[in-house]
Amino acid sequence: MKNLYFVITLSAFTALCVFGGVAWLIAENQIKQAKEATSQAAVVAGKKETDATVADMERRLKRDLAEAGQRLAITRTLGVTQQIIRAITVYTLDNDTLPAVDGWHQAVRDHEKHVRKLIRESTYYTDAEKKRSLADPPISFTDAWGNPYRMIHRKSPGSIDYDIVSNGPDGEEDTTDDIFSRGNFTPDD
């Protein structure tokens, strides 16, 4: 059952990435349509657009598209941090321990390979389910800006809270644009 949860979360992340890509295409299409509608409205109104007006409109459209791209990068990064939290949750369920801060990338990567092997060898899943689950991309350990994710542990009585953190668009640690997801591990006594 633990492995089924991992398969479902991998598929959910793939859906998030596809949705993000579709959102990007929709945004580009809406900008293109707005530009065409503005040009048509100007002709209908009998106004002749000047080069300066067109250039200003193009600058605004490019700015809007860049902002949409930044929002998409943030959304994808948040999705990956949540995917990593889910993978660590499955890891802790199977190993009853939290990966070390220094070696968590490799621990999660190794465990993901192990789960994929279990899926391939399983008689529980149909061939279509196996194919869909194994087609999901492996977990990325770098954010949308090419920086590695960090893991931070905070111990509290009886449990450990941990964050998977992206430094965000500015690439600097501990700034207001950092993106993170939080998990919790409570060891069995």
Coordinates of all heavy atoms in Angstrom, one line a residue, residues 52-107:
A52 N 5.1 53.6 -32.3 CA 5.4 53.8 -30.9 C 4.3 53.0 -30.1 O 4.6 52.4 -29.1 CB 5.4 55.2 -30.5
T53 N 3.0 53.1 -30.6 CA 1.9 52.4 -29.9 C 2.1 50.9 -29.9 O 2.0 50.2 -29.0 CB 0.6 52.8 -30.5 OG1 0.4 54.2 -30.4 CG2 -0.6 52.1 -29.8
V54 N 2.5 50.4 -31.1 CA 2.7 49.0 -31.3 C 3.9 48.5 -30.4 O 3.8 47.5 -29.8 CB 2.9 48.6 -32.8 CG1 3.4 47.2 -33.0 CG2 1.7 48.9 -33.6
A55 N 5.0 49.3 -30.5 CA 6.2 49.0 -29.7 C 5.8 48.9 -28.2 O 6.3 48.0 -27.5 CB 7.3 49.9 -29.9
D56 N 5.0 49.9 -27.7 CA 4.6 50.0 -26.3 C 3.8 48.7 -26.0 O 4.0 48.1 -24.9 CB 3.9 51.2 -26.0 CG 3.5 51.3 -24.6 OD1 4.4 51.2 -23.7 OD2 2.3 51.5 -24.3
M57 N 2.9 48.4 -26.8 CA 2.0 47.2 -26.6 C 2.9 45.9 -26.6 O 2.7 45.1 -25.7 CB 1.0 47.1 -27.7 CG 0.0 46.0 -27.5 SD -1.4 46.0 -28.7 CE -0.6 45.9 -30.2
E58 N 3.8 45.8 -27.5 CA 4.7 44.6 -27.5 C 5.5 44.6 -26.2 O 5.7 43.5 -25.6 CB 5.6 44.6 -28.7 CG 4.8 44.3 -30.0 CD 5.7 44.3 -31.2 OE1 6.9 44.7 -31.1 OE2 5.2 44.0 -32.3
R59 N 6.0 45.7 -25.7 CA 6.8 45.7 -24.4 C 5.9 45.2 -23.3 O 6.3 44.4 -22.5 CB 7.3 47.1 -24.1 CG 8.6 47.4 -24.8 CD 9.2 48.7 -24.2 NE 8.4 49.9 -24.3 CZ 8.3 50.6 -25.4 NH1 9.0 50.3 -26.5 NH2 7.5 51.7 -25.5
R60 N 4.7 45.7 -23.2 CA 3.8 45.3 -22.2 C 3.4 43.8 -22.3 O 3.4 43.1 -21.3 CB 2.5 46.1 -22.2 CG 2.6 47.5 -21.7 CD 1.3 48.2 -21.6 NE 0.7 48.0 -22.9 CZ -0.2 48.8 -23.5 NH1 -0.6 49.9 -22.8 NH2 -0.7 48.6 -24.7
L61 N 3.2 43.3 -23.5 CA 2.9 41.9 -23.7 C 4.1 41.0 -23.3 O 4.0 40.0 -22.7 CB 2.6 41.6 -25.2 CG 1.2 42.2 -25.6 CD1 1.0 42.0 -27.1 CD2 0.1 41.6 -24.8
K62 N 5.3 41.4 -23.7 CA 6.5 40.7 -23.3 C 6.7 40.7 -21.8 O 7.1 39.7 -21.2 CB 7.8 41.3 -23.9 CG 7.9 41.0 -25.4 CD 9.1 41.6 -26.0 CE 9.2 41.3 -27.5 NZ 10.3 42.0 -28.2
R63 N 6.4 41.8 -21.1 CA 6.5 41.9 -19.7 C 5.5 40.9 -19.0 O 5.8 40.2 -18.1 CB 6.3 43.3 -19.2 CG 6.4 43.4 -17.6 CD 5.8 44.7 -17.1 NE 4.3 44.6 -17.3 CZ 3.6 45.6 -17.8 NH1 4.1 46.8 -18.0 NH2 2.3 45.5 -17.9
D64 N 4.3 40.9 -19.6 CA 3.2 40.0 -19.0 C 3.6 38.6 -19.2 O 3.4 37.7 -18.4 CB 1.9 40.3 -19.7 CG 1.3 41.7 -19.3 OD1 1.8 42.3 -18.3 OD2 0.4 42.1 -20.0
L65 N 4.2 38.3 -20.4 CA 4.6 36.9 -20.7 C 5.7 36.5 -19.7 O 5.7 35.4 -19.2 CB 5.0 36.8 -22.1 CG 5.2 35.3 -22.6 CD1 4.0 34.5 -22.4 CD2 5.6 35.4 -24.1
A66 N 6.7 37.4 -19.5 CA 7.8 37.1 -18.5 C 7.2 36.8 -17.1 O 7.7 35.9 -16.4 CB 8.8 38.2 -18.5
E67 N 6.2 37.7 -16.7 CA 5.6 37.4 -15.4 C 4.9 36.1 -15.3 O 5.0 35.4 -14.3 CB 4.7 38.6 -15.1 CG 5.4 39.9 -14.8 CD 4.4 41.1 -14.6 OE1 3.2 40.9 -14.7 OE2 5.0 42.2 -14.4
A68 N 4.2 35.7 -16.4 CA 3.5 34.5 -16.5 C 4.6 33.3 -16.4 O 4.3 32.3 -15.7 CB 2.7 34.3 -17.7
G69 N 5.7 33.5 -17.0 CA 6.7 32.5 -17.0 C 7.3 32.3 -15.6 O 7.6 31.2 -15.1
Q70 N 7.5 33.5 -14.9 CA 8.0 33.4 -13.5 C 7.0 32.7 -12.6 O 7.3 31.9 -11.7 CB 8.2 34.8 -13.0 CG 9.0 34.9 -11.7 CD 10.4 34.5 -11.9 OE1 10.8 33.3 -12.1 NE2 11.3 35.5 -11.8
R71 N 5.7 33.0 -12.8 CA 4.7 32.3 -12.0 C 4.7 30.8 -12.2 O 4.5 30.0 -11.3 CB 3.3 32.9 -12.2 CG 3.1 34.3 -11.6 CD 1.6 34.8 -11.7 NE 1.1 34.9 -13.0 CZ 1.2 35.9 -13.8 NH1 1.8 37.0 -13.4 NH2 0.7 35.9 -15.0
L72 N 4.8 30.5 -13.5 CA 4.9 29.0 -13.9 C 6.1 28.4 -13.2 O 6.0 27.3 -12.7 CB 5.0 28.9 -15.4 CG 5.1 27.4 -15.9 CD1 3.9 26.6 -15.4 CD2 5.2 27.4 -17.4
A73 N 7.3 29.0 -13.2 CA 8.5 28.5 -12.6 C 8.2 28.3 -11.1 O 8.6 27.3 -10.5 CB 9.7 29.4 -12.8
I74 N 7.6 29.3 -10.4 CA 7.3 29.2 -9.0 C 6.4 28.0 -8.7 O 6.6 27.2 -7.8 CB 6.7 30.5 -8.5 CG1 7.9 31.5 -8.5 CG2 6.1 30.3 -7.1 CD1 7.4 33.0 -8.2
T75 N 5.3 27.9 -9.6 CA 4.4 26.8 -9.4 C 5.0 25.4 -9.6 O 4.8 24.5 -8.8 CB 3.2 26.9 -10.4 OG1 2.6 28.2 -10.2 CG2 2.2 25.8 -10.3
R76 N 5.8 25.3 -10.6 CA 6.6 24.0 -10.8 C 7.5 23.7 -9.7 O 7.6 22.6 -9.2 CB 7.3 24.1 -12.1 CG 6.5 23.9 -13.3 CD 7.3 23.8 -14.6 NE 6.4 23.5 -15.7 CZ 6.8 23.5 -17.0 NH1 8.1 23.7 -17.2 NH2 6.0 23.2 -17.9
T77 N 8.2 24.7 -9.2 CA 9.1 24.5 -8.1 C 8.4 24.1 -6.8 O 8.8 23.1 -6.1 CB 10.0 25.8 -7.8 OG1 10.7 26.0 -9.0 CG2 10.9 25.6 -6.6
L78 N 7.3 24.7 -6.5 CA 6.4 24.3 -5.4 C 6.0 22.8 -5.6 O 6.0 22.0 -4.6 CB 5.3 25.2 -5.2 CG 4.4 24.9 -4.0 CD1 5.1 24.9 -2.7 CD2 3.2 25.9 -4.0
G79 N 5.6 22.5 -6.8 CA 5.1 21.1 -7.0 C 6.3 20.1 -6.8 O 6.0 19.0 -6.2
V80 N 7.5 20.5 -7.2 CA 8.6 19.6 -7.0 C 8.9 19.4 -5.5 O 9.2 18.3 -5.0 CB 9.9 20.0 -7.8 CG1 11.1 19.2 -7.4 CG2 9.6 19.9 -9.2
T81 N 8.9 20.5 -4.7 CA 9.1 20.4 -3.3 C 8.1 19.5 -2.6 O 8.4 18.7 -1.8 CB 9.1 21.8 -2.6 OG1 7.8 22.4 -2.7 CG2 10.2 22.7 -3.1
Q82 N 6.9 19.6 -3.1 CA 5.8 18.7 -2.5 C 6.1 17.3 -3.0 O 5.8 16.3 -2.2 CB 4.4 19.2 -3.0 CG 4.1 20.5 -2.3 CD 2.9 21.2 -2.9 OE1 2.3 20.7 -3.9 NE2 2.4 22.3 -2.3
Q83 N 6.5 17.1 -4.2 CA 6.9 15.7 -4.6 C 8.0 15.1 -3.8 O 7.9 14.0 -3.4 CB 7.3 15.7 -6.1 CG 7.6 14.4 -6.7 CD 8.3 14.4 -8.0 OE1 8.9 15.4 -8.4 NE2 8.2 13.3 -8.8
I84 N 9.0 15.9 -3.5 CA 10.1 15.5 -2.7 C 9.6 15.1 -1.3 O 10.0 14.1 -0.7 CB 11.3 16.5 -2.6 CG1 11.9 16.6 -4.0 CG2 12.3 16.1 -1.6 CD1 12.9 17.8 -4.2
I85 N 8.7 16.0 -0.7 CA 8.2 15.7 0.6 C 7.5 14.3 0.6 O 7.6 13.5 1.5 CB 7.2 16.8 1.1 CG1 8.0 18.1 1.4 CG2 6.4 16.4 2.3 CD1 8.9 18.0 2.6
R86 N 6.7 14.1 -0.4 CA 5.9 12.8 -0.5 C 6.9 11.6 -0.6 O 6.7 10.6 0.0 CB 5.0 12.8 -1.7 CG 3.8 13.7 -1.4 CD 2.7 13.6 -2.5 NE 3.1 13.9 -3.8 CZ 3.1 15.2 -4.3 NH1 2.6 16.1 -3.6 NH2 3.5 15.4 -5.5
A87 N 8.0 11.8 -1.4 CA 9.0 10.8 -1.6 C 9.7 10.5 -0.3 O 9.9 9.3 0.1 CB 10.0 11.1 -2.7
I88 N 10.0 11.5 0.5 CA 10.6 11.4 1.8 C 9.6 10.7 2.8 O 10.0 9.8 3.6 CB 11.1 12.7 2.4 CG1 12.3 13.2 1.5 CG2 11.5 12.6 3.8 CD1 12.8 14.6 1.9
T89 N 8.4 11.0 2.7 CA 7.4 10.3 3.5 C 7.3 8.9 3.2 O 7.3 8.0 4.2 CB 6.0 11.0 3.3 OG1 6.0 12.3 3.6 CG2 4.9 10.3 4.1
V90 N 7.3 8.5 2.0 CA 7.4 7.0 1.6 C 8.7 6.4 2.1 O 8.7 5.3 2.7 CB 7.2 6.8 0.1 CG1 7.4 5.4 -0.3 CG2 5.8 7.3 -0.3
Y91 N 9.8 7.1 2.0 CA 11.1 6.6 2.5 C 11.0 6.4 4.0 O 11.4 5.3 4.4 CB 12.2 7.7 2.1 CG 13.5 7.3 2.7 CD1 14.4 6.5 2.0 CD2 13.9 7.7 4.0 CE1 15.7 6.2 2.5 CE2 15.1 7.3 4.5 CZ 16.0 6.6 3.7 OH 17.2 6.3 4.3
T92 N 10.4 7.3 4.7 CA 10.4 7.1 6.2 C 9.4 6.0 6.6 O 9.7 5.3 7.6 CB 9.9 8.4 6.9 OG1 8.7 8.8 6.4 CG2 10.9 9.6 6.7
L93 N 8.4 5.8 5.8 CA 7.5 4.7 6.1 C 8.2 3.4 5.9 O 7.9 2.4 6.7 CB 6.2 4.8 5.2 CG 5.2 5.9 5.5 CD1 4.2 6.0 4.4 CD2 4.6 5.7 6.9
D94 N 9.0 3.3 4.9 CA 9.7 2.0 4.6 C 10.9 1.8 5.4 O 11.3 0.6 5.7 CB 10.1 2.0 3.1 CG 8.9 1.8 2.2 OD1 7.8 1.4 2.7 OD2 9.1 2.0 1.0
N95 N 11.5 2.9 5.9 CA 12.8 2.7 6.6 C 12.7 3.1 8.1 O 13.7 3.0 8.8 CB 13.9 3.6 5.9 CG 14.2 3.1 4.5 OD1 14.7 2.0 4.4 ND2 13.8 3.8 3.5
D96 N 11.6 3.7 8.5 CA 11.4 4.2 9.9 C 12.6 5.1 10.3 O 13.0 5.1 11.5 CB 11.3 3.1 10.9 CG 10.7 3.6 12.2 OD1 9.8 4.5 12.1 OD2 11.1 3.1 13.3
T97 N 13.1 5.9 9.4 CA 14.1 6.9 9.7 C 14.0 8.0 8.6 O 13.5 7.8 7.5 CB 15.5 6.3 9.8 OG1 16.4 7.3 10.2 CG2 16.0 5.8 8.4
L98 N 14.4 9.2 9.0 CA 14.5 10.3 8.1 C 15.9 10.4 7.4 O 16.9 10.1 8.1 CB 14.2 11.6 8.9 CG 13.9 12.9 8.2 CD1 12.6 12.7 7.3 CD2 13.8 14.0 9.1
P99 N 15.9 10.6 6.1 CA 17.3 10.7 5.5 C 18.1 11.8 6.2 O 17.5 12.8 6.6 CB 17.0 11.0 4.1 CG 15.5 10.8 3.9 CD 14.9 10.9 5.2
A100 N 19.4 11.6 6.2 CA 20.3 12.6 6.8 C 20.3 13.9 5.9 O 20.1 13.8 4.7 CB 21.7 12.1 6.9
V101 N 20.5 15.0 6.5 CA 20.5 16.3 5.7 C 21.6 16.2 4.6 O 21.4 16.7 3.5 CB 20.8 17.5 6.7 CG1 21.0 18.8 5.9 CG2 19.6 17.7 7.6
D102 N 22.7 15.6 4.9 CA 23.8 15.6 4.0 C 23.6 14.6 2.8 O 24.0 14.9 1.7 CB 25.1 15.2 4.6 CG 25.6 16.2 5.6 OD1 25.1 17.3 5.6 OD2 26.5 15.8 6.5
G103 N 22.9 13.5 3.1 CA 22.7 12.5 2.0 C 21.3 12.3 1.6 O 21.0 11.2 1.0
W104 N 20.4 13.2 1.8 CA 19.0 13.0 1.5 C 18.7 12.8 0.0 O 17.9 12.1 -0.4 CB 18.1 14.1 2.1 CG 18.2 15.4 1.4 CD1 19.1 16.4 1.7 CD2 17.4 15.9 0.4 NE1 18.8 17.5 0.9 CE2 17.8 17.2 0.1 CE3 16.3 15.4 -0.4 CZ2 17.2 18.0 -0.9 CZ3 15.7 16.2 -1.4 CH2 16.2 17.4 -1.6
H105 N 19.5 13.6 -0.9 CA 19.3 13.4 -2.3 C 19.5 12.0 -2.7 O 18.6 11.4 -3.4 CB 20.3 14.3 -3.1 CG 20.1 15.7 -2.9 ND1 20.9 16.4 -2.0 CD2 19.4 16.6 -3.6 CE1 20.5 17.7 -2.1 NE2 19.6 17.8 -3.0
Q106 N 20.6 11.4 -2.3 CA 20.9 10.0 -2.7 C 19.9 9.0 -2.1 O 19.5 8.1 -2.8 CB 22.3 9.6 -2.4 CG 22.8 8.4 -3.0 CD 22.8 8.4 -4.5 OE1 23.2 9.4 -5.1 NE2 22.3 7.4 -5.2
A107 N 19.5 9.2 -0.9 CA 18.6 8.3 -0.2 C 17.3 8.3 -0.9 O 16.7 7.3 -1.2 CB 18.4 8.8 1.3

